[in-house]
Amino acid sequence: MAKNTNSTSYEFYKQKNKEEMKYQLITFALMIIFTLVAFGMVIAEYNPMFTIPVIILLACVQVGFQLYYFMHMSHKGHGLPALFLYSGIFVALLTVLAMVTIVWW
């Protein structure tokens, strides 16, 4: 008698989707916490020399979370879009670095 592979496949995808949803909820909660931390630092009026770099760091971490989990960059088959995205980020960083260098001197 042939074994029914549809139910096994269904259970596999159900478990995989459950784990992915768990990671997305954890990531969403972390992003909310990061936003509240940044907001709290501004409300508490910490030294701007400390607050601004921390907010920028938290923003960069949030961008990474959004790309990796919510834009599904962790899945296979997203090589070319990821290449273009990371190339654009690299060019943007080089542009900002060049402008800061020009203004600094």
Side-chain angles (χ1 to χ4, degrees):
M1 186 174 251
K3 188 175 182 180
N4 187 1
T5 59
N6 287 338
S7 65
T8 307
S9 176
Y10 173 75
E11 290 299 321
F12 171 75
Y13 286 116
K14 185 177 176 182
Q15 181 67 24
K16 188 175 177 182
N17 288 339
K18 183 179 177 182
E19 288 177 10
E20 187 172 335
M21 181 60 75
K22 180 179 82 169
Y23 289 135
Q24 286 184 351
L25 286 173
I26 290 170
T27 303
F28 180 71
L30 284 173
M31 287 192 301
I32 294 295
I33 290 169
F34 289 164
T35 302
L36 292 174
V37 166
F39 187 71
M41 289 177 67
V42 172
I43 292 295
E45 296 180 357
Y46 285 126
N47 184 4
M49 296 299 284
F50 174 73
T51 303
I52 293 172
V54 170
I55 290 175
I56 290 173
L57 176 69
L58 291 175
C60 290
V61 170
Q62 284 187 358
V63 167
F65 278 161
Q66 288 185 10
L67 290 176
Y68 192 74
Y69 288 107
F70 294 120
M71 299 296 287
H72 304 289
M73 296 302 254
S74 61
H75 295 178
K76 292 182 180 177
H78 291 109
L80 190 61
L83 174 69
F84 285 130
L85 183 73
Y86 297 135
S87 298
I89 291 171
F90 179 70
V91 169
L93 287 175
L94 281 179
T95 304
V96 168
L97 181 64
M99 292 301 156
V100 167
T101 304
I102 289 170
V103 169
W104 188 270
W105 285 351

